[in-house]
Amino acid sequence: MSDDMIRVTYLLETPGDPRAAAEKIAADQSTGTFTELPGETEALRARHAARVETVEPLAPQDQPSWPEAEGPVNRARAVIAFPLDSIGTDIAALLTVTLGGVFAARGLTGVRVLDFGLPPAFACHPGPQFGIDGSRRLTGVTEGPIIASIIKPSLGLTPDETAAVVRSLCEAGVDFIKDDEKMMSPGYAPFEPRTSAIMRVIRDHAERTGKRVMYAFGISAADPDLMLRRHDHVVAEGGNAAVVNINSIGPGGMAFLRKRSALCLHAHRNGWDLLTRHPSLGYDFRPYQKIWRLLGVDQFQINGIAAKYWESDDSFVRSFEDVTRPIFSDADRALPVVCSGQWGGQAFETFRRTRSVDLMYLGGGGIHGHPGGPKAGVRAIRDAWQAAGQGLGTAEACAASPDLAAAFRKWGRASDR
Amino acid sequence: MSDDMIRVTYLLETPGDPRAAAEKIAADQSTGTFTELPGETEALRARHAARVETVEPLAPQDQPSWPEAEGPVNRARAVIAFPLDSIGTDIAALLTVTLGGVFAARGLTGVRVLDFGLPPAFACHPGPQFGIDGSRRLTGVTEGPIIASIIKPSLGLTPDETAAVVRSLCEAGVDFIKDDEKMMSPGYAPFEPRTSAIMRVIRDHAERTGKRVMYAFGISAADPDLMLRRHDHVVAEGGNAAVVNINSIGPGGMAFLRKRSALCLHAHRNGWDLLTRHPSLGYDFRPYQKIWRLLGVDQFQINGIAAKYWESDDSFVRSFEDVTRPIFSDADRALPVVCSGQWGGQAFETFRRTRSVDLMYLGGGGIHGHPGGPKAGVRAIRDAWQAAGQGLGTAEACAASPDLAAAFRKWGRASDR
């Protein structure tokens, strides 16, 4: 493979011929339009046109995904190569040229982007500033999962009430705490006073115990200047992390922040489900997360086993593999944040499927809602991971840990699938 | 209606009870999680919880839109009200709280956002700097549509070759020209030299004829600093407009640019089709365009009658109404840019459906590919709009305009639907 082409893998669905659909995408996304043009010479096409490299037929589908035709419809996996010289390495250009018009094409009843194959020139992007190693360094967790929690209730607490929850979580023994992704700067808990109140607790806990809990503050704002002021306030208070709602700020907000950031950036992908939930439309997580890692995500929320949302366990496991597979180097891997309805019981299946403890394990309700309180909730999770890493089963683990046993009694039936 | 609530209208689809689904969204997106929490008191819920205001049942659907259940599925239109105090006026907060988790909820097989009802506090956003009136002022087109074209072939031309196309379009009599949305800064036509070469032609034409053609340059870049440098270069060269790929830069890029912009911002929404094409998933254009107008879009591309893409004429007509309906005042309306496969023949149906000439009419292939050349292509379009505005039919219009007649002969069969 030459190194000066951008290769995009598409899943195409059409009542017609998938190869013709691929050829149409290649033409529309480079030099063509709806009618012949005097200036579109063969020489120009040869230099700048996108080329269909492979079209692999797949089984037809009974119903079209966009309901614009009567089923059945044909499907194929197609690789289209775009000359790097026609796009460059800018992420906005990449998205516009390779995806922008693709979802608009008439005659298709479904398009899904399965992967980006990016040439080495894309290594120009900053990538994660901290990633897996930096997250371990900043939290001081040198082995095993980084155990994390979130403020609950997610909305509604004043700065002082939030600080009290933070104190309880610090005392419960977590390594990391985060604002709920919906918490940015509401009227009842504005960003600056809330951050200051929380950081007083974090600093005090560090002075008393020597343990500096990482707290990720919800700095997201559509206005990058405002987001940067929030970032600077966190830095001034001695904080070291931030929650970034990547879809709500977009590539521009992320690129702006990463260039100026001193914080570990914890990505929440809310809104992503719309882009991926229909299996024949939108994006796989694989190409999506590559873009955001190149833009600078350090920690990536990817749900978990038996999540409370729609996503399947298999999809989570693929996401785990995706964020930890280097794009250009080990340094561009993101720390996988295993989350959503986690309470410890899922540690066994998570470890069995990923064989990894290089992860953050985030329990919200699973810690706050543990029958023995947050401290017991954290112990249950740590015990679960220790047992899982030793290859123990859940029965043995529960026998050795009353806190884990209590968690299984409360949540085991609903989520232990 | 009170003025301190944000009201979101959702189309919900579920094998279960749509009212229960609406209640679940309201809970998940405010104070709740998957388990009962000690701190989630009734008082806290009363202050901060989102509330389901109405649930209007719709006809069931045979098949689920996300293929996660067996059909049929129930559908309803639901309005959920979020307290302004819990979100604030930040666009990123609005998107995260009202939409972020909604597409993730288990048990739903489809969600579509139909509208945002925004309280007056959202008038704090800058909105369009130029809009409809400013676009007329800058182009000097005081009445009738602003006639526009685009560089074709869209990719592959060097700066000098592009400048030659611009000269031909200026001489053909257009009011506005734009870079193709895929043209930003490729290796063979870097942004600065291309812009300089084009602006020499624009300035020269203005000096010779007194007519200053508006040119919208493709300044989009994921890095807002780079985008701003491109903006500044356009300003330094005497230009007055830019194409912005809003989905590729995101709200952050747009907010950053708008605060610093001296240019008329022409929005290309490429990528939007993924968000809207399935009729039960994603967003209607109505809520989407409100966000982008508040962020500062002056001119909004919305396809047109008989577009080359999948979008229906009815959808285009609704979009036209949407972008020209004030959110808070007349000044926040965007200029509708009627485009995609336009060559003049669609002027009649466009005027019949919209009763408006406050628009930009953008012909690419329809001008470059006219059998009589670009000048005849522009005349055909102007003649079509004049005839349409006078209530003439296409036969009368063609009898009076050989150029329009030639366009009908070339494209009338394919697009005159």
Side-chain angles (χ1 to χ4, degrees), chain B residues 65-77:
Chain B
S65 297
W66 286 318
E68 299 172 13
E70 298 298 312
V73 283
N74 302 310
R75 287 154 49 97
R77 189 182 287 113

Side-chain angles (χ1 to χ4, degrees), chain B residues 163-377:
Chain B
V165 175
V166 173
R167 183 171 301 281
S168 140
L169 287 171
C170 285
E171 289 169 358
V174 298
D175 306 312
F176 173 103
I177 309 171
K178 67 181 280 288
D179 283 336
D180 185 272
E181 81 278 3
K182 296 183 290 296
M183 175 54 69
M184 286 160 270
S185 192
Y188 61 88
F191 185 83
E192 278 76 8
R194 189 179 82 246
T195 299
S196 297
I198 291 167
M199 281 307 302
R200 274 195 293 276
V201 175
I202 298 285
R203 289 192 306 262
D204 178 64
H205 184 75
E207 280 162 26
R208 289 190 295 107
T209 67
K211 179 162 181 76
R212 186 161 203 86
V213 174
M214 178 182 266
Y215 193 104
F217 293 92
I219 66 171
S220 298
D223 176 355
D225 301 310
L226 174 58
M227 186 162 61
L228 188 63
R229 283 201 298 277
R230 292 179 183 166
H231 163 280
D232 293 347
H233 185 71
V234 173
V235 172
E237 289 281 2
N240 57 15
V243 179
V244 181
N245 294 324
I246 55 179
N247 297 311
S248 299
I249 66 169
M254 188 68 190
F256 178 89
L257 178 63
R258 172 64 180 86
K259 283 171 76 173
R260 295 156 173 85
S261 177
L263 302 177
C264 191
L265 301 178
H266 180 106
H268 196 285
R269 63 184 180 179
N270 63 81
W272 169 77
D273 308 271
L274 167 59
L275 308 179
T276 205
R277 186 163 172 174
H278 194 298
S280 301
L281 305 176
Y283 300 69
D284 268 0
F285 184 62
R286 179 169 296 173
Y288 170 88
Q289 55 91 35
K290 281 185 184 174
I291 296 301
W292 290 101
R293 280 162 61 196
L294 291 178
L295 287 168
V297 164
D298 291 298
Q299 306 177 343
F300 224 129
Q301 285 209 14
I302 54 170
N303 287 335
I305 296 291
K308 60 183 173 178
Y309 302 120
W310 66 277
E311 196 180 1
S312 72
D313 291 355
D314 287 348
S315 176
F316 154 69
V317 172
R318 282 193 301 273
S319 298
F320 193 104
E321 293 165 358
D322 286 335
V323 298
T324 55
R325 185 184 300 121
I327 305 171
F328 299 113
S329 78
D330 278 356
D332 64 33
R333 296 172 305 151
L335 179 73
V337 180
V338 179
C339 57
S340 179
Q342 302 297 304
W343 49 270
Q346 302 102 324
F348 301 88
E349 180 71 359
T350 307
F351 185 72
R352 191 182 74 77
R353 299 286 299 270
T354 67
R355 308 308 296 178
S356 175
V357 293
D358 279 333
L359 57 91
M360 178 178 287
Y361 190 78
L362 179 58
I367 289 176
H368 295 276
H370 190 283
K375 200 171 287 190

Side-chain angles (χ1 to χ4, degrees), chain A residues 52-69:
Chain A
V52 178
E53 290 196 337
T54 61
V55 179
E56 176 195 344
L58 302 171
Q61 185 173 286
D62 284 348
Q63 295 287 330
S65 298
W66 285 319
E68 299 172 13

